Amino acid sequence: MLALLPINAWISLPLLLISISLASFVHGKRAKLLIIILMTLLLVTELISIYFSGGFVDYQFYVNLNANDIIEGLAIFKLQAAFAIVAFFVFLFVQFKLAVVLQKCKIFLRLAILVVAILSLNYEHGPVEKLFEIYQVTSSPKLTFTQSLEKLNITDYPTKEQIEALSGKNIIVISLESFEQGFLDFNDITPNLNKLTQKYSFYPNIPMGMGSSWTTASMYTYMTGMPLLVGGSNTTPLSDITKTNLVSLGDVLNKGGYQARYIIGSPTFAGIGHIISLFGIDVICEKNYPDQYPDAPFGLYDRDTFDIAKRQINELAASDKPFALFISTISTHAPDGFHDARMEPLISKKDNSMSFAAASLDYNLNRFIEYLDKQGMLKNTVFYIFPDHLMMGAGTQTIANLSQRERFLYLLTNANSTDLAMDVKSTIYQIDLPRIILDGAGIKTNARFLTDYLDHTIDKKQFIIDHKSAIATINRSAGTQ
């Protein structure tokens, strides 16, 4: 497993040394074994985090340490789970033997090893700093919602009751699972998406931000304009609330008379269904079409997700009310994607399963956009296509390919560039998306989002890092039971 990890897997060495040196000061076998077990759990946890996210244990890893996400993860990452279990017992055995050997050395040497190992972990963006970030977020207090906003100098935030909105064009938002910009570098995988970037407006400079780097967090960010950093120790953030005082796209759309629906294979995936319900948006999934689609990981293959989207659009368009349809794909989920055998006659053989899943998504996405165009819907419908987050994992050929240059998200849209009032070379942040979605559709509203309070020249990614505690307080204080 270590051979598959990136360079920061070196953390295994100082953690091993800390474990061995600590155990060497204990003479009882049970006490020695307890220390080694605890340190080995920490070591394996860090390696798992590095493998899946490319970095040390952070808030993203913390909020996925719940029973539902762990069970779902084990269903996908069976081989990796087996490696982790084997690694745990190997490390356990090796450390116990080395601790016995080190115990024979002078106490000064053992203390020196312990101190040096601990100090080697304390550096900028290192494991100690990441753990401290978790503490900063989870320890953020709950205040009144108004008080929490004031921590970021937000004093004129229109409440849900004060929101006004005039409808514009229909809206389609397509969030692509892990389908980051690097896939566009391989024309044999994304020929259709590359053509679409030439036909429509393509914004390539979207860095992924803290609190928006996994599926649920990405959705929460583009719905509310606020990263999903939540104070409190709950590893399933917002699961205990029934509504939020944060104004979302759902609130604006509701005031504008829109029909709003969200299509996802399984609403239980990462707790996304519950959070969508907080925004007053109806969830559409495989359960709405019993026995009509084949069984698939997390409910639906992308091919079927887009088929449902066509059916929903036809239904929504039959009404005299405007509509907003949100779509989440899933088949390009790390590490290998989900193989849909029905695509084999349509997609040429690829080097690996993820490339095939990515090429299938490229095909199905293009077919969907072509359908909208042929139906004449694009005349009064604006679409937004973007990845939910960067591809997670390490040690796969896909990650190696994507890491050949700096990794970014992107936005593809048919919205009029004058409505968006930004150059295609501009840097866009995930917190900008709700404002972009509304402006591109020509919706007039007094709703305001975090980005509206920030100067457009600042680095909003760094702003979120610098103000993570205040943001966590806002999200925690906004929720009510």
Side-chain angles (χ1 to χ4, degrees):
M1 185 175 178
L2 289 177
L4 301 177
L5 295 173
I7 189 65
N8 50 5
W10 67 267
I11 191 177
S12 58
L13 179 58
L15 287 179
L16 284 171
L17 291 175
I18 292 172
S19 177
I20 294 167
S21 56
L22 282 175
S24 71
F25 289 103
V26 179
H27 292 282
K29 286 187 178 181
R30 289 185 179 179
K32 190 188 300 292
L33 184 59
L34 178 60
I35 291 174
I36 293 174
I37 288 174
L38 293 175
M39 288 301 300
T40 304
L41 284 172
L42 176 60
L43 168 59
V44 173
T45 300
E46 285 286 4
L47 293 180
I48 290 172
S49 177
I50 291 168
Y51 179 84
F52 289 117
S53 66
F56 302 116
V57 169
D58 57 7
Y59 183 72
Q60 174 184 330
F61 188 90
Y62 173 81
V63 296
N64 285 283
L65 280 180
N66 59 77
N68 181 66
D69 288 348
I70 291 173
I71 292 171
E72 288 182 340
L74 289 174
I76 304 173
F77 301 100
K78 297 183 180 68
L79 181 60
Q80 290 82 356
F83 272 125
I85 293 171
V86 171
F88 175 83
F89 286 105
V90 169
F91 283 134
L92 205 64
F93 176 78
V94 171
Q95 288 176 87
F96 192 85
K97 293 295 184 182
L98 291 177
V100 173
V101 174
L102 186 61
Q103 198 165 28
K104 299 176 182 178
C105 297
K106 293 183 178 180
I107 190 172
F108 175 79
L109 177 61
R110 285 181 276 162
L111 280 172
I113 292 174
L114 179 61
V115 171
V116 171
I118 292 175
L119 291 177
S120 70
L121 297 176
N122 191 18
Y123 61 92
E124 188 176 12
H125 306 311
V128 174
E129 180 178 307
K130 294 297 183 182
L131 292 175
F132 183 62
E133 284 183 355
I134 295 175
Y135 169 76
Q136 288 178 298
V137 173
T138 57
S139 64
S140 298
K142 183 168 185 177
L143 309 173
T144 68
F145 185 54
T146 300
Q147 290 174 330
S148 70
L149 291 173
E150 290 173 350
K151 290 177 70 70
L152 282 181
N153 297 318
I154 299 175
T155 57
D156 55 348
Y157 186 81
T159 64
K160 291 176 182 284
E161 293 74 21
Q162 296 169 334
I163 293 299
E164 299 176 355
L166 295 176
S167 64
K169 293 183 178 182
N170 299 319
I171 297 171
I172 297 176
V173 175
I174 308 174
S175 175
L176 306 176
E177 173 65 42
S178 307
F179 209 54
E180 62 178 87
Q181 188 184 138
F183 280 104
L184 276 70
D185 292 338
F186 306 96
N187 199 56
D188 62 319
I189 296 177
T190 54
N192 297 301
L193 188 54
N194 274 299
K195 290 178 183 177
L196 290 175
T197 64
Q198 300 300 314
K199 184 176 182 179
Y200 301 107
S201 297
F202 180 66
Y203 299 84
N205 301 319
I206 304 183
M208 187 173 70
M210 182 181 186
S212 307
S213 56
W214 67 100
T215 300
T216 306
S218 171
M219 181 275 293
Y220 184 87
T221 301
Y222 82 71
M223 282 288 183
T224 67
M226 197 72 68
L228 186 57
L229 303 169
V230 186
S233 58
N234 195 342
T235 57
T236 53
L238 310 182
S239 62
D240 56 347
I241 70 169
T242 57
K243 66 177 183 177
T244 175
N245 288 313
L246 276 176
V247 171
S248 70
L249 287 181
D251 298 309
V252 178
L253 294 170
N254 180 265
K255 289 296 181 74
Y258 279 77
Q259 308 167 82
R261 299 177 185 177
Y262 198 113
I263 300 175
I264 188 170
S266 173
T268 62
F269 175 65
I272 197 169
H274 169 69
I275 294 183
I276 292 170
S277 70
L278 298 178
F279 307 140
I281 297 175
D282 295 330
V283 176
I284 306 297
C285 62
E286 85 286 355
K287 293 180 180 178
N288 294 86
Y289 302 90
D291 303 320
Q292 296 186 38
Y293 295 101
D295 291 337
F298 300 116
L300 293 167
Y301 288 110
D302 289 349
R303 171 173 172 165
D304 303 318
T305 297
F306 284 113
D307 185 70
I308 289 176
K310 293 176 185 177
R311 298 170 68 170
Q312 285 291 312
I313 285 174
N314 291 336
E315 180 181 321
L316 291 166
S319 169
D320 58 356
K321 297 176 63 177
F323 68 82
L325 187 66
F326 301 88
I327 305 166
S328 280
T329 68
I330 191 61
S331 292
T332 47
H333 195 288
D336 301 316
F338 303 133
H339 186 86
D340 185 352
R342 296 171 301 170
M343 297 301 298
E344 291 177 1
L346 304 172
I347 304 298
S348 61
K349 187 176 181 180
K350 303 301 178 187
D351 293 337
N352 53 66
S353 178
M354 178 60 80
S355 293
F356 184 85
S360 298
L361 173 55
D362 175 76
Y363 178 90
N364 289 313
L365 175 63
N366 184 63
R367 287 288 299 273
F368 180 67
I369 299 300
E370 284 183 342
Y371 175 81
L372 297 176
D373 196 10
K374 289 179 181 178
Q375 295 297 313
M377 292 185 178
L378 294 184
K379 295 178 182 178
N380 193 42
T381 300
V382 60
F383 67 75
Y384 303 92
I385 301 171
F386 49 81
D388 57 353
H389 53 74
L390 300 178
M391 179 70 67
M392 297 182 187
T396 65
Q397 187 58 50
T398 298
I399 295 298
N401 293 339
L402 296 174
S403 301
Q404 291 179 11
R405 63 184 178 92
E406 191 172 0
R407 299 168 66 183
F408 281 96
L409 309 177
Y410 56 85
L411 170 66
L412 175 66
T413 178
N414 67 332
N416 192 313
S417 58
T418 57
D419 291 331
L420 298 184
M422 58 186 183
D423 186 83
V424 293
K425 296 182 180 179
S426 302
T427 297
I428 298 173
Y429 299 88
Q430 288 165 287
I431 63 172
D432 296 330
L433 289 174
R435 172 55 58 202
I436 290 172
I437 290 169
L438 294 175
D439 287 350
I443 296 175
K444 305 301 181 182
T445 178
N446 63 335
R448 302 192 72 186
F449 304 96
L450 174 60
T451 190
D452 297 321
Y453 296 91
L454 305 178
D455 190 286
H456 71 279
T457 61
I458 72 169
D459 183 338
K460 297 176 185 177
K461 180 179 178 179
Q462 187 60 46
F463 176 89
I464 293 168
I465 295 173
D466 294 340
H467 297 85
K468 53 185 169 289
S469 181
I471 292 171
T473 294
I474 290 174
N475 284 318
R476 184 180 187 184
S477 303
T480 59
Q481 294 180 337

